[in-house]
Amino acid sequence: MILSDRDIKKAIADGSIVIRPFDPECVQPSSIDVHLDNKFLVFVNTHHSLIDVKKDMSGLNREIAIDDDNPLILHPSEFILGSTMEHLTLPNNIAARIEGKSSLG
């Protein structure tokens, strides 16, 4: 089941869903807009040919932070992990999914 904006607002009001920082304007008809932070994990694929969760994968990624003067350029076939400015806490009976969108796209 997908929660409606009314259900989302109720869950936030009763503390079932915690979002910090929270802006009520970010609640949409069946979602909450979150914002991309400036911290990313960039994968360094020059040391490993594949990811093996049973092996030490030290050096597989590195954390970077960008600023307005030095943008991050993501080239075709590259993969990075980004973080959101918001921190979410959900109860065991609610799942979430995050989808990328761009107001510039």
Side-chain angles (χ1 to χ4, degrees):
M1 171 190 344
I2 296 175
L3 298 179
S4 69
D5 57 342
R6 187 178 320 161
D7 294 329
I8 292 169
K9 290 175 184 175
K10 181 179 180 294
I12 290 169
D14 70 21
S16 298
I17 296 175
V18 178
I19 303 173
R20 291 193 181 110
F22 174 65
D23 179 357
E25 294 292 318
C26 290
V27 177
Q28 301 301 316
S30 61
S31 66
I32 302 169
D33 288 343
V34 294
H35 304 85
L36 191 62
D37 199 2
N38 71 329
K39 297 178 186 83
F40 298 89
L41 283 180
V42 177
F43 287 84
V44 181
N45 58 4
T46 57
H47 302 296
H48 304 283
S49 59
L50 54 92
I51 298 173
D52 185 345
V53 296
K54 294 181 182 178
K55 293 184 180 177
D56 178 23
M57 302 303 309
S58 298
L60 179 64
N61 56 47
R62 63 185 171 89
E63 184 175 319
I64 64 167
I66 62 168
D67 56 38
D68 291 339
D69 295 330
N70 298 302
L72 174 69
I73 298 172
L74 185 62
H75 298 281
S77 301
E78 288 184 332
F79 178 77
I80 61 172
L81 292 175
S83 56
T84 62
M85 296 173 77
E86 295 83 4
H87 180 269
L88 282 73
T89 303
L90 301 173
N92 292 337
N93 65 338
I94 294 179
R97 120 180 141 209
I98 191 162
E99 295 180 9
K101 74 174 190 174
S102 171
S103 57
L104 302 175

